[in-house]
């Protein structure tokens, strides 16, 4: 375990591919965590000139309206500095809960799994994946 | 019966986890657990944001109608001035999305809320195993 | 302000007054009138702080550009500006953004690679 109190980030942002960042989130997203996620992501976008961020929330236990609000804010902030956010890992339970809660994720692009998100990210950055013969 | 005081933001996650655990022990499926846990998260967040502290009580419900789980979220905060308005989607006094209370109502099988000015708010959500 | 590869690059001054924006409008209109323009890049790197009114003012440039059938890409918005705007509950909507001027130009040259449109 990392020492998360000592300035070390608990949510590492990985450069998955040229122009594509991946942030996998586990556990709970409270306001402190979301602030840290936003700061880390913005810094990494600027540093790498990323075009797309994949934010995987499969490991997030509960997506209530506060969490959704945090995710929307992160999406808006990254959009402002020049990168689109794709939220992946929307489990069936989370999908049902979001609909029942009445949450509108606005223009946010969401996918059920990481591979769909990756496909979109490649489209966005102009890459085509091909299987070699 | 389980009791979780809400004094800090991380206590909300604890109350949510305990709700899930209690429901899991009762045999509730994943979707119902998530929906109820999210309802509890909404209510506990409300208590924390508006009253800075509160408490969550989780109880098993038994009887002829089947088994269920009841979660009570209470606070001694300022109370909700206009409960009718607070139950409308998109109404918020705290810069949130404003779906918390009506959302919690939709996520639970039963929902009730009582609020008294300067005394606080008590919200009860129930889920039944059918 | 210079035009390159038929793309007009404009820089928003730090103060973002309505007069500043009017100048940007004039610039776009006069260059668009000559024809052959592909798009507009709006460089926001000079902005050190912006409230939601100023932000809306800047993003309205895209609406003007659209009247000339031109896309506008906003670029180089600083991290601090973005975080502050989001905290003020500002919603950028479906504007096109990029991290650098170069990327903004590339985006205008390859309009097919737009995630929002897919």
């Amino acid at each position: 375990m990392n020492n998360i109190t000592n300035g070390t980030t608990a949510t590492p942002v990985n450069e998955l591919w040229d122009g594509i960042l991946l942030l996998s989130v586990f556990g709970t997203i409270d306001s402190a965590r979301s602030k840290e996620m936003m700061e880390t992501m913005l810094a990494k976008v600027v540093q790498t000139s990323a075009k797309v961020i994949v934010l995987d929330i499969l490991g997030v236990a509960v997506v209530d309206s506060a969490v959704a609000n945090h995710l929307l804010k992160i999406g808006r902030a990254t959009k402002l500095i020049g990168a689109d956010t794709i939220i992946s890992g929307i489990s069936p339970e989370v999908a049902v809960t979001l609909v029942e809660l009445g949450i509108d994720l606005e223009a946010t692009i969401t996918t059920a799994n990481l591979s769909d998100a990756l496909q979109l990210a490649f489209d966005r950055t102009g890459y085509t994946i091909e299987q070699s013969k | 019966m389980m009791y979780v005081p809400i004094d800090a933001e991380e206590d909300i996650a604890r109350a949510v986890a305990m709700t899930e655990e209690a429901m899991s022990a009762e045999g509730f499926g994943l979707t119902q657990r998530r929906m109820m846990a999210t309802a509890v998260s909404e209510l506990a967040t409300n208590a924390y944001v508006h009253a800075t502290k509160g408490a969550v009580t989780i109880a098993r419900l038994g009887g002829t109608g089947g088994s269920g789980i009841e979660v009570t979220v209470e606070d001694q905060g300022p109370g909700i001035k206009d409960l009718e308005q607070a139950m409308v989607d998109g109404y918020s006094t705290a810069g949130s999305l404003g779906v918390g209370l009506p959302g919690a109502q939709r996520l639970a099988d039963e929902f009730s809320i009582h609020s008294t000015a300067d005394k606080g708010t008590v919200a009860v959500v129930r889920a039944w195993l059918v | 302000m210079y035009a390159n590869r038929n793309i007009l690059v404009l820089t928003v001054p730090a103060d973002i007054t309505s007069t500043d924006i009017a100048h940007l409008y004039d610039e776009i209109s006069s260059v668009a009138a000559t024809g052959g323009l592909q798009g507009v890049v709006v460089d926001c790197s000079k902005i050190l702080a912006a409230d939601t009114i100023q932000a809306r003012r800047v993003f309205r440039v895209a609406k003007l550009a659209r009247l000339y059938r031109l896309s506008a890409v906003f670029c180089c918005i600083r991290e601090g500006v973005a975080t502050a705007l989001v905290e003020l509950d500002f919603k950028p909507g479906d504007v096109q953004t990029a991290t650098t001027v170069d990327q903004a130009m590339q985006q205008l040259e390859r309009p097919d690679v737009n995630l929002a449109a897919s």
Side-chain angles (χ1 to χ4, degrees):
Chain A
M1 259 322 262
N2 280 338
N3 179 4
I4 57 164
T5 52
N6 206 11
T8 334
T9 172
T11 42
V13 180
N14 296 297
E15 196 174 359
L16 202 58
W17 199 263
D18 176 34
I20 305 171
L21 300 178
L22 170 69
L23 175 62
S24 298
V25 203
F26 295 90
T28 48
I29 304 178
D30 58 14
S31 39
R33 181 89 183 280
S34 124
K35 193 164 175 273
E36 180 215 281
M37 279 165 58
M38 195 192 287
E39 280 169 6
T40 320
M41 271 218 290
L42 294 181
K44 196 80 178 180
V45 168
V46 171
Q47 185 199 328
T48 61
S49 284
K51 288 301 321 155
V52 187
I53 297 154
V54 179
L55 184 57
D56 191 75
I57 60 162
L58 191 62
V60 177
V62 169
V63 183
D64 64 1
S65 63
V67 171
N69 202 14
H70 290 319
L71 296 175
L72 281 172
K73 278 186 174 178
I74 290 174
R76 286 180 203 137
T78 52
K79 174 79 201 176
L80 280 171
I81 65 161
D84 288 313
T85 301
I86 301 171
I87 299 178
S88 71
I90 310 273
S91 66
E93 308 81 52
V94 165
V96 171
T97 306
L98 285 173
V99 171
E100 288 297 307
L101 257 181
I103 286 168
D104 178 11
L105 284 177
E106 297 165 20
T108 317
I109 300 148
T110 51
T111 63
N113 53 49
L114 202 51
S115 63
D116 286 352
L118 205 53
Q119 185 63 61
L120 278 173
F122 280 134
D123 288 348
R124 176 74 172 92
T125 44
Y127 286 100
T128 325
I129 321 166
E130 247 178 69
Q131 189 172 30
S132 63
K133 280 172 196 149
Chain B
M1 195 135 97
M2 286 181 284
Y3 177 85
V4 188
I6 306 290
D7 297 311
E9 206 179 349
E10 50 271 28
D11 294 329
I12 301 168
R14 221 153 55 86
V16 168
M18 284 173 82
T19 304
E20 279 237 31
E21 226 168 273
M23 290 182 79
S24 187
E26 284 298 304
F28 280 96
L30 190 54
T31 303
Q32 220 177 348
R33 264 167 23 215
R34 277 295 144 84
M35 285 168 71
M36 183 74 159
T38 309
V40 171
S41 187
E42 294 293 345
L43 297 172
T45 303
N46 257 345
Y48 177 69
V49 170
H50 297 285
T52 63
K53 54 171 69 182
V56 174
T57 314
I58 303 156
R60 285 180 55 192
L61 298 171
T64 48
S67 68
I69 286 283
E70 179 185 87
V71 183
T72 308
V73 182
E74 55 199 314
D75 67 61
Q76 276 89 48
I80 301 165
K81 282 200 182 65
D82 190 341
L83 204 51
E84 218 170 289
Q85 199 174 16
M87 289 307 294
V88 175
D89 274 321
Y91 175 78
S92 169
T93 55
S96 57
L97 293 178
V99 296
L101 290 182
Q105 182 172 32
R106 284 189 291 266
L107 290 172
D109 291 332
E110 282 177 41
F111 173 92
S112 69
I113 188 162
H114 298 281
S115 193
T116 319
D118 302 320
K119 288 256 169 69
T121 304
V122 184
V124 182
V125 278
R126 284 179 178 167
W128 293 102
L129 202 56
V130 278
Chain C
M1 289 170 207
Y2 58 98
N4 184 20
R5 288 177 280 178
N6 300 322
I7 290 169
L8 177 67
V9 182
L10 301 169
T11 304
V12 185
D15 298 337
I16 333 171
T17 63
S18 40
T19 318
D20 292 336
I21 300 298
H23 284 317
L24 298 187
Y25 284 170
D26 291 345
E27 195 77 18
I28 295 170
S29 299
S30 61
V31 178
T34 63
L37 195 59
Q38 237 180 306
V40 182
V41 171
V42 184
D43 179 350
C44 302
S45 59
K46 291 231 158 55
I47 303 170
L48 301 178
D51 58 31
T52 56
I53 295 167
Q54 291 170 314
R56 263 181 236 122
R57 205 176 267 162
V58 172
F59 286 124
R60 272 204 296 275
V61 170
K63 298 222 161 79
L64 179 94
R66 209 168 297 151
L67 292 178
Y68 298 109
R69 299 174 58 82
L70 297 171
S71 299
V73 180
F74 299 85
C75 68
C76 314
I77 296 177
R78 287 166 189 261
E79 290 163 68
V81 174
T83 356
L85 281 173
V86 164
E87 286 314 321
L88 292 169
D89 227 10
F90 178 76
K91 295 166 189 166
D94 64 351
V95 292
Q96 283 196 61
T97 53
T99 45
T100 61
V101 174
D102 270 353
Q103 254 189 9
M105 285 188 167
Q106 278 175 33
Q107 220 158 290
L108 286 170
E109 282 161 1
R110 297 186 321 182
D112 50 311
V113 227
N114 190 350
L115 197 63
S118 63

